[in-house]
Amino acid sequence: MRRRIFGSMYLLVLITVLLSSLLISGLMYHKFFNLMKQEIKNEAGYIGVATEMEGIGYLTAVKNTVNFNRITLIAGDGTVLFDNTAPADKLGNHGDRPEVKVALEQGFGEATRLSDTLGSQTFYYALRLTDGTVLRIAN
């Protein structure tokens, strides 16, 4: 009888610990993801201002600096003008990307999806600049 009670208690404690771990992991992932999204939006704002002031030369100058985010400059027709992870001329038209479409219409857009170029789940934030180009930051 005693063994059965301890076995039941052990199982109950194990289930409680597993459920608590899953809940805490989910909450931490959600918090981290939201923090990362805000940092990308801030970075897009900073890079957008610098790009408007200095032009595409600014992006070329910072291309070789340590940056963990992907930076893409897209023309109003979807042509990739600059990308810090792949040659721009090798990338297809980005005008059909959801975040780019929304940014061209509303000024900014965001999306989370699997990146064809990077091969991983990626968050994209696109910001329309005053000249009609779209700056997109991805992580």
Side-chain angles (χ1 to χ4, degrees), residues 56-73:
I56 199 168
Y58 173 77
L59 296 175
T60 306
V62 298
K63 181 178 182 177
N64 296 326
T65 62
V66 176
N67 190 337
F68 300 106
N69 294 330
R70 182 177 179 191
I71 302 169
T72 309
L73 185 65

Side-chain angles (χ1 to χ4, degrees), residues 43-57:
E43 183 179 357
Y46 301 142
I47 293 174
V49 169
T51 302
E52 287 181 334
M53 291 174 62
E54 301 291 327
I56 199 168

Side-chain angles (χ1 to χ4, degrees), residues 74-76 78 93-111 113 126-128 134 136:
I74 304 162
N93 189 294
H94 281 40
D96 61 340
R97 309 296 163 90
E99 68 281 359
V100 175
K101 284 181 182 178
V102 174
L104 286 169
E105 294 171 7
Q106 300 177 6
F108 68 92
E110 60 185 62
R113 66 173 181 283
L127 180 67
R128 185 183 65 220
V134 175
R136 187 179 74 171

